[in-house]
Amino acid sequence: MHALIVVAHPDPRSLTHGVAAHLAEGVTLSDTGHSVEFADLAAEGFDPRFTAADLGLHLRDEAVPADVTAEQARIDRADALVLVYPVYWWSMPGLLKGWIDRVFTNGWAYDDRSGTGVAKLLGRLPVHLVGLGGADAGTYARHGYFGAMKTQIDHGIFNYCGAPVVTSELLLEAGPDDVAAHLKAARAIGCGLFDGSRQ
């Protein structure tokens, strides 16, 4: 089985990158036949701006841009999609949201021209979300951020495309005292990524 791990953080020394690496380690430790590919959006210079060409693609008046085709091919090769990101303003970073805006296109991730509503085209793709946040669980609960993020990301993005969200984890209080626990949790998520009981 093959996992695509998408990381959206500009600093390769960040806890976000550490969590992604430990998650990948868990995947490969769980079965020597499992493989991992990283999409480091910042290091690769992915352009998250939704341009007139992207709008034309959405309207099916334009061809798929080469960078979008390459990202879709990476996802098509994967048996699971993993997004690892810091929580910025109670959501994912703009870089990752722009990746989704541009890559999860009409006609590939969903089809809104079926005449019978939206056709969900990514039902074969299990999704695992791992966010890292600096606030504590009480802050998230008190302000309803857990529910808001699940509605926006899990339901609003992935359910719209039919991709089942198997893991939706927030690793909170991501300070120096929490690093070891978060890396251990990431490795455990990776070890169970292709566990049939989770999907």
Side-chain angles (χ1 to χ4, degrees):
M1 304 291 275
H2 180 66
L4 174 62
I5 301 177
V6 181
V7 185
H9 196 292
D11 184 354
R13 299 161 300 165
S14 67
L15 179 57
T16 301
H17 279 271
V19 162
H22 279 70
L23 197 149
E25 183 179 286
V27 170
T28 56
L29 284 174
S30 68
D31 188 313
T32 56
H34 292 334
S35 59
V36 173
E37 179 179 0
F38 284 96
D40 183 344
L41 300 182
E44 294 172 7
F46 181 81
D47 186 350
R49 295 173 299 169
F50 192 88
T51 67
D54 296 295
L55 179 59
L57 173 60
H58 174 74
L59 298 173
R60 303 205 182 167
D61 295 331
E62 300 273 343
V64 182
D67 60 342
V68 171
T69 298
E71 296 303 310
Q72 290 175 345
R74 289 209 277 201
I75 296 170
D76 287 339
R77 288 192 300 269
D79 298 299
L81 174 64
V82 184
L83 305 183
V84 182
Y85 56 91
V87 175
Y88 292 168
W89 293 107
W90 318 112
S91 188
M92 60 180 61
L95 177 59
L96 183 56
K97 179 60 168 58
W99 181 80
I100 291 169
D101 289 346
R102 295 195 59 222
V103 173
F104 283 60
T105 60
N106 185 14
W108 180 81
Y110 63 93
D111 187 344
D112 70 355
R113 291 173 51 173
S114 65
T116 58
V118 175
K120 302 177 180 199
L121 303 180
L122 293 182
R124 65 143 202 101
L125 183 69
V127 174
H128 303 267
L129 306 170
V130 182
L132 289 94
D136 60 36
T139 300
Y140 278 77
R142 186 168 53 256
H143 296 289
Y145 296 140
F146 287 120
M149 289 180 70
K150 282 184 117 18
T151 298
Q152 176 202 357
I153 299 170
D154 301 28
H155 181 75
I157 296 171
F158 295 106
N159 183 61
Y160 190 83
C161 302
V165 175
V166 179
T167 304
S168 187
E169 187 75 36
L170 286 174
L171 305 177
L172 301 177
E173 298 186 73
D177 296 338
D178 307 294
V179 170
H182 291 339
L183 296 178
K184 182 178 178 183
R187 189 177 292 112
I189 292 168
C191 283
L193 206 71
F194 294 117
D195 178 354
S197 66
R198 293 188 66 171
Q199 298 183 26

